[in-house]
């Protein structure tokens, strides 16, 4: 019985940990501004595992100021650099792609882990 309860607590904590990690992107989508940013260049960084990683350099206007930043969340192909990117931005939070496939998958996984953790904790005779 104690093993089942421990497994339920571990599932619940892992689900809450994933949900907490997704909180930043959710806050950006709710409170940030959706901006169309121009890609003005590529910043190449030497990586031990992959050789070079190429990050886009974004430039956009936000509250009457021109902002230029390197978006180091995902790499781009230097031969196929997009001209524009849709991003969510807030000064105190950062930059995000918005609702992506990985965001959706990890949201579903965290919800399932939380639900199964609660089920395992609450039931007396599961097996």
């Amino acid at each position: 019985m104690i093993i089942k309860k421990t497994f339920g607590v571990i599932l619940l904590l892992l689900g809450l940990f994933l949900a907490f990690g997704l909180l930043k992107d959710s806050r950006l989508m709710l409170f940030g501004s959706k901006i169309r940013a121009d890609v003005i260049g590529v910043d190449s960084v030497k990586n031990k595992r992959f050789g070079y990683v190429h990050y886009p350099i974004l430039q956009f206007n936000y509250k009457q100021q021109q902002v230029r930043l390197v978006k180091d969340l995902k790499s781009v192909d230097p031969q196929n650099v997009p001209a524009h990117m849709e991003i969510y931005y807030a000064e105190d939070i950062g930059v995000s792609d918005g609702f992506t496939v990985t965001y959706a998958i990890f949201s579903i996984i965290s919800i399932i882990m939380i639900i199964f953790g609660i089920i395992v904790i609450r039931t007396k005779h599961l097996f």
Side-chain angles (χ1 to χ4, degrees):
M1 188 64 134
I2 193 93
I3 295 173
K4 292 178 189 172
K5 299 290 183 184
T6 306
F7 179 68
V9 168
I10 290 172
L11 272 178
L12 185 64
L13 289 176
L14 283 174
L16 290 173
F17 179 73
L18 278 175
F20 181 74
L22 296 170
L23 184 65
K24 178 184 174 189
D25 285 337
S26 300
R27 284 185 16 205
L28 273 170
M29 286 186 276
L30 291 174
F31 304 117
S33 301
K34 187 173 184 177
I35 298 172
R36 184 176 179 152
D38 298 326
V39 179
I40 59 171
V42 175
D43 184 23
S44 299
V45 178
K46 179 98 170 115
N47 191 340
K48 293 178 183 177
R49 184 180 296 166
F50 301 114
Y52 280 95
V53 181
H54 308 284
Y55 298 123
I57 301 172
L58 303 176
Q59 180 177 342
F60 53 91
N61 292 326
Y62 181 74
K63 293 186 179 178
Q64 313 304 339
Q65 294 180 352
Q66 190 173 31
V67 178
R68 182 179 290 179
L69 57 89
V70 177
K71 183 180 165 206
D72 57 355
L73 298 177
K74 72 175 183 179
S75 179
V76 295
D77 185 19
Q79 280 76 26
N80 300 329
V81 177
H84 304 286
M85 295 178 84
E86 296 287 332
I87 60 169
Y88 289 91
Y89 179 74
E91 287 176 316
D92 54 339
I93 303 172
V95 64
S96 172
D97 282 337
F99 193 74
T100 60
V101 174
T102 53
Y103 180 81
I105 289 171
F106 281 117
S107 296
I108 292 169
I109 290 172
S110 69
I111 290 169
I112 289 172
M113 288 177 125
I114 291 170
I115 289 172
F116 280 126
I118 292 172
I119 288 172
V120 170
I121 291 171
R122 299 282 296 176
T123 57
K124 297 225 184 243
H125 301 289
L126 191 60
F127 297 106

